[in-house]
Amino acid sequence: MVQVFRALAIIAVVMIHTTPLGYYQVLCRPFINFSVATFLFLSGYLTKVENDNWGAFYKKRMVRVLIPYIIWTVLYTVSSRPIGQLPVNLLTAQAAAPLYYIFVYIQFVLLTPLLGKLATSRFRFLGWFVAPISVIVFKYYWLLTGLEMNPYFSLIWSDACLGWFSFYYLGLILGNQIIEKNHSLRPLVLLYFSSILLQMAEGYGWLMLGEANCGTQLKLSSLLTSSLFLLVAYSILKSGRFDIRNRLLRMLGDYSFGIYLCHMMVIHVLNAFVPIYKSIPYPITSLAVVLLSLCCCYLGDSVLRDKYSRWIGLR
């Protein structure tokens, strides 16, 4: 089921990056904003807080993402032509939207020993305040006051993992059974869909304030919805009652990292060279991008084989 949730998450990521602006952001985004939260949660869920060799842990996790990060930063920078921007892009993950989240993941990997100590201490409750307080400080204050964010604040917010803290932290806690939750699935699902209505209401409020990115994953209501989705996912994983064997979903899960890295390039190519793409309605555009990205990853993986395929991050 882990791969199925990865498949659902990567479909949602592509849908987010193909969602039209305006009311589509208000109405559609609440259903798919669980995407990055799910990837981070699963990473934490599959990570042990007790480790006798953190050096080996860092080597395995960092090499897994750093080499693809560098390669794709170069590719996205070259494709957008400001070659001189490459050093800045490498240091700030600004070459393409998906690369920022790899930056976030790297921060969580580096912080894992400290997060593990916090999660197993009597002060573990402090971890739940990091994301909401960060969102209030870095998003709500500037939005509600109409002031322009200080450049240094903007740099911190655009590269830091603060707003995503709850999801990796929740994965660590539940995956290591530091806290065991045995909620019934039905109430969780009802709460989840109720929170979607709340997220729509908040998104509409942001839109009325002139915020184009009103569908963002980093709103208080989005944090709530994604957390409830993850509790539903945890209940399903823990129960073992569901075993979806759909081959396409399994493939999407297996190639989710590659699709994550390349789908923005696929969108760029479709926009530039396939005129009919712009007339295809949403969310059919999302489906087309998902399938084309999967094909690219599968073909690339078949040609490059395991070692080199992993260097590029195709799987």
Side-chain angles (χ1 to χ4, degrees), residues 107-289:
Q107 292 171 61
F108 283 129
V109 170
L110 293 173
L111 290 171
T112 296
L114 293 177
L115 296 182
K117 289 185 180 298
L118 176 62
T120 54
S121 75
R122 61 193 177 103
F123 300 105
R124 73 171 64 94
F125 68 93
L126 294 175
W128 304 120
F129 292 98
V130 174
I133 289 176
S134 299
V135 169
I136 290 170
V137 171
F138 288 100
K139 291 290 292 185
Y140 284 69
Y141 174 77
W142 305 98
L143 177 68
L144 295 175
T145 61
L147 299 174
E148 186 174 346
M149 185 181 292
N150 181 285
Y152 295 106
F153 267 57
S154 181
L155 181 62
I156 292 171
W157 182 245
S158 63
D159 283 328
C161 64
L162 296 172
W164 306 96
F165 192 94
S166 298
F167 309 128
Y168 188 82
Y169 189 63
L170 179 63
L172 278 179
I173 286 178
L174 295 181
N176 287 275
Q177 299 180 335
I178 296 169
I179 296 177
E180 292 194 57
K181 295 293 183 182
N182 295 305
H183 297 298
S184 175
L185 194 57
R186 181 176 294 180
L188 281 176
V189 171
L190 290 174
L191 284 172
Y192 168 67
F193 282 107
S194 298
S195 72
I196 285 178
L197 297 176
L198 179 62
Q199 195 178 156
M200 286 180 179
E202 184 177 3
Y204 179 75
W206 281 42
L207 183 64
M208 292 301 100
L209 288 172
E211 176 59 44
N213 191 27
C214 61
T216 179
Q217 298 170 73
L218 292 179
K219 301 192 297 287
L220 291 180
S221 58
S222 300
L223 297 182
L224 174 62
T225 302
S226 295
S227 297
L228 288 168
F229 178 88
L230 297 177
L231 290 176
V232 171
Y234 169 71
S235 297
I236 292 173
L237 289 171
K238 188 178 179 183
S239 70
R241 289 182 295 172
F242 301 90
D243 186 19
I244 300 174
R245 299 180 179 274
N246 183 278
R247 186 179 177 186
L248 178 58
L249 285 178
R250 293 284 181 178
M251 284 187 68
L252 286 170
D254 290 341
Y255 288 102
S256 58
F257 189 39
I259 296 170
Y260 186 82
L261 288 168
C262 79
H263 75 275
M264 292 298 289
M265 188 72 74
V266 170
I267 292 172
H268 174 73
V269 170
L270 288 172
N271 278 318
F273 301 107
V274 184
I276 194 175
Y277 172 73
K278 296 180 181 179
S279 64
I280 299 175
Y282 177 82
I284 298 176
T285 48
S286 308
L287 178 61
V289 172

Side-chain angles (χ1 to χ4, degrees), residues 66-87:
L66 270 178
I67 295 176
Y69 170 77
I70 293 170
I71 291 173
W72 283 95
T73 297
V74 172
L75 289 174
Y76 277 112
T77 303
V78 170
S79 70
S80 58
R81 296 179 183 170
I83 308 299
Q85 191 71 14
L86 180 59

